């Protein structure tokens, strides 16, 4: 097998962030070199504590966790994630306090130092608001050339939004940061709701994970009921597979059909804030083209997820 792809996981855990982390850690194609945290599904203290819990769960406290942004660049942090993920970010499970601590320094600086120390070999997989990536690229623009790949869960090209009629949560939570990240001329792939809502883990599928009874699936069995209840309250009998879709793209991009277009981010107030507009018609709107995932082979993806979780 070729060398695993080294990556930094920028995250706001988050039930589906945790499920994505466990997927990545069971995948030999990927080597996690650091976790960076951002506000989003909870405040920065909550998401950082949860990231520490995750590395401890898989006995990988050697992987550094570095805390990042506590608020968006422009707008105030409103903490809307609690109704989806619970006030502790992990489904109201009130897990024990982790034994480890985040390493000193800011997530954005960790991203810069790690990417610049190993040019061409580090990818960024970001599944929360894009504040840390925006700060990193603003502080050190050379990471645009030095990074191997940037994969983000966020946005939507044609699918409706999930926090406003037109905006997806990660982009809406820091639209100004997203605009910086989408404007940077690095190899960026948007894994948005066009594909993440096309893959659903039904209660029956989740049950097949729970019956494995290993430490990862036992953890998912604890944290997922609150998240599933949220989906049910919106008439969906299953959970959308948001953050794990970004991991899936990094693992095996052949699972996805991708189109390219410049994607513009609306930065404003209210419902339109964070809308992602893909310029399919190349209307001369400018901006460099990014990869936009438009279709996914969900059965193959769900089989892969289950196979990987079985290895714990
Ligand atoms: C995104 O928002 C968060 O609630 C999830 O963790 C995911 O990253 C989906 O819109
Ligand atoms: Ca997330």
């Amino acid at each position: 097998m070729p060398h695993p792809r080294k990556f930094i996981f920028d995250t706001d855990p988050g039930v589906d962030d945790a499920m994505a982390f466990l997927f990545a850690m069971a995948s030999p194609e990927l080597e996690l070199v650091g976790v960076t945290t951002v506000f989003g599904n909870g405040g920065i203290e909550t998401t950082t504590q949860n990231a520490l819990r995750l590395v401890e769960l898989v006995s990988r406290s050697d992987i550094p966790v570095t805390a990042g942004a506590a608020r968006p660049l422009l707008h105030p942090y409103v903490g809307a994630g609690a109704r989806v993920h619970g006030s502790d970010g992990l489904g109201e499970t009130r897990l024990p306090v982790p034994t480890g601590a985040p390493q000193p320094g800011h997530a954005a600086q960790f991203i810069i130092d790690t990417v610049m120390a190993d040019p061409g070999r580090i990818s960024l997989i970001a599944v929360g608001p894009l504040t840390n990536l925006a700060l990193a690229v603003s502080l050190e623009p050379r990471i645009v050339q030095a990074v191997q790949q940037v994969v983000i869960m966020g946005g939507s090209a044609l699918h409706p939004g999930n926090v406003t009629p037109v905006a997806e949560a990660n982009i809406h939570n820091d639209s100004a940061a997203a605009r910086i990240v989408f404007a940077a001329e690095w190899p960026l792939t948007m894994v948005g709701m066009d594909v993440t809502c096309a893959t659903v883990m039904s209660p029956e599928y989740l049950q097949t994970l729970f019956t494995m009874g290993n430490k990862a699936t036992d953890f998912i069995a604890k944290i997922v009921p609150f998240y599933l209840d949220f989906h049910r309250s919106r008439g969906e009998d299953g959970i959308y597979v948001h953050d794990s879709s970004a991991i899936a793209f990094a693992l095996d991009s052949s699972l996805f059909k991708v189109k390219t277009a410049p994607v513009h981010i609306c930065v404003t107030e209210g419902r339109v804030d964070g809308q992602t507009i893909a310029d399919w018609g190349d209307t001369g709107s400018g901006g460099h083209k990014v990869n936009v995932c438009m279709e996914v082979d969900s059965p193959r993806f769900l089989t892969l997820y289950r196979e990987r979780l079985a290895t714990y």
Side-chain angles (χ1 to χ4, degrees), residues 11-18 40-41 81 84-85 126-129 153-155 162-163 167-171 173 193 196 227 242-243:
T11 179
D12 61 334
V15 173
D16 64 321
D17 303 70
N41 292 325
V84 185
H85 299 264
V127 297
M153 188 280 129
N162 59 357
V163 285
E168 181 280 329
N170 286 339
I171 306 298
N173 280 341
M193 293 176 68
T196 68
Y227 191 62
H242 294 302
D243 292 350

Side-chain angles (χ1 to χ4, degrees), residues 2-312:
H3 288 303
R5 175 179 301 157
K6 294 184 186 179
F7 77 107
I8 297 171
F9 189 50
D10 189 75
T11 179
D12 61 334
V15 173
D16 64 321
D17 303 70
M19 293 177 73
F21 172 86
L22 293 169
F23 182 34
M25 293 304 290
S27 295
E29 300 88 343
L30 296 175
E31 179 188 342
L32 181 58
V33 297
V35 179
T36 51
T37 58
V38 61
F39 75 91
N41 292 325
I44 189 66
E45 294 79 14
T46 300
T47 58
T48 304
Q49 291 278 297
N50 288 343
L52 291 165
R53 288 185 174 99
L54 291 172
V55 295
E56 290 175 14
L57 173 69
V58 297
S59 308
R60 290 299 308 271
S61 298
D62 56 301
I63 295 173
V65 172
T66 313
R71 62 191 64 85
L73 297 181
L74 282 183
H75 299 312
Y77 168 58
V78 292
R83 76 196 165 97
V84 185
H85 299 264
S87 59
D88 61 353
L90 291 177
E92 303 295 357
T93 44
R94 309 269 148 225
L95 298 169
V97 174
T99 52
Q103 67 167 9
H106 194 283
Q109 194 61 50
F110 177 83
I111 291 170
I112 293 167
D113 294 344
T114 308
V115 170
M116 295 310 290
D118 204 358
R121 304 227 322 134
I122 307 286
S123 292
L124 307 177
I125 304 180
V127 297
L130 293 171
T131 323
N132 291 335
L133 271 61
L135 290 170
V137 75
S138 302
L139 285 165
E140 178 47 277
R142 289 179 301 166
I143 66 170
V144 164
Q145 283 80 40
V147 79
Q148 187 181 50
Q149 190 185 27
V150 182
V151 181
I152 68 118
M153 188 280 129
S156 163
L158 299 175
H159 195 279
N162 59 357
V163 285
T164 84
V166 295
E168 181 280 329
N170 286 339
I171 306 298
H172 183 75
N173 280 341
D174 195 347
S175 54
R179 180 178 277 184
I180 292 169
V181 169
F182 276 75
E185 296 198 356
W186 47 16
L188 176 72
T189 298
M190 174 174 123
V191 183
M193 293 176 68
D194 307 284
V195 287
T196 68
C197 292
T199 304
V200 177
M201 290 184 179
S202 66
E204 295 73 30
Y205 175 91
L206 289 166
Q207 199 56 45
T208 66
L209 299 182
F210 304 159
T211 52
M212 290 175 189
N214 62 44
K215 66 182 173 189
T217 59
D218 285 353
F219 187 79
I220 294 171
K222 263 192 234 155
I223 65 174
V224 96
F226 187 97
Y227 191 62
L228 179 58
D229 283 348
F230 169 77
H231 283 76
R232 283 186 169 137
S233 73
R234 295 166 60 109
E236 295 137 7
D237 194 27
I239 60 170
Y240 293 135
V241 186
H242 294 302
D243 292 350
S244 291
S245 295
I247 301 294
F249 182 85
L251 279 180
D252 182 0
S253 61
S254 76
L255 288 164
F256 296 85
K257 282 206 178 123
V258 174
K259 289 169 69 173
T260 61
V263 173
H264 303 286
I265 312 291
C266 296
V267 182
T268 177
E269 303 288 333
R271 294 185 183 88
V272 180
D273 188 39
Q275 182 176 13
T276 43
I277 301 175
D279 186 7
W280 301 125
D282 201 4
T283 61
S285 60
H288 91 113
K289 291 186 175 179
V290 305
N291 296 319
V292 182
C293 291
M294 294 307 296
E295 289 179 48
V296 56
D297 184 341
S298 300
R300 193 154 71 85
F301 171 21
L302 289 171
T303 299
L304 180 67
Y305 188 91
R306 187 165 46 209
E307 282 171 3
R308 294 297 162 91
L309 270 285
T311 63
Y312 279 98

